[in-house]
Amino acid sequence: MTRISIHCFVSGRVQGVWFRASTKEQANRLGVTGWVQNLPDGRVEVLASGEKEAIATLYEWLKRGPELAEVTELTYEEVAWQDFQGFETK
């Protein structure tokens, strides 16, 4: 099994629509660890670590987000593995 970490920025209508809470739910369901936080510029930042397939599934979900979100852009880069205990909302 291959473990990877990704660092993402999500743009659009992604604050005030339960994006962070929904991301945490998805991450927990997939066994992904890391964190999610709102940024002052209106974007959401995500750092996620887990099995490659689980990260790919989370990435696909981030493209849409929760029902009320309108994602206009999702950027990401694979970063060095980071080990976290659970998934945190900052």
Side-chain angles (χ1 to χ4, degrees):
M1 292 190 249
T2 305
R3 299 185 310 172
I4 64 170
S5 296
I6 61 171
H7 188 206
C8 306
F9 293 94
V10 189
S11 302
R13 193 173 85 200
V14 294
Q15 291 190 13
V17 293
W18 299 99
F19 204 99
R20 290 179 302 154
S22 298
T23 300
K24 181 176 181 172
E25 286 178 13
Q26 292 296 317
N28 289 336
R29 185 177 62 76
L30 295 166
V32 170
T33 62
W35 50 262
V36 59
Q37 70 178 352
N38 285 341
L39 295 176
D41 64 6
R43 296 179 299 162
V44 168
E45 181 180 16
V46 180
L47 183 58
S49 297
E51 299 299 329
K52 191 172 187 173
E53 285 185 16
I55 293 294
T57 300
L58 180 64
Y59 177 79
E60 288 300 315
W61 181 87
L62 289 171
K63 288 180 181 178
R64 300 181 314 276
E67 185 178 338
L68 297 175
E70 291 179 15
V71 176
T72 58
E73 184 178 20
L74 172 61
T75 61
Y76 86 100
E77 66 176 333
E78 191 170 331
V79 295
W81 171 257
Q82 297 188 43
D83 198 16
F84 297 99
Q85 299 297 317
F87 197 91
E88 178 184 356
T89 301
K90 293 187 173 186

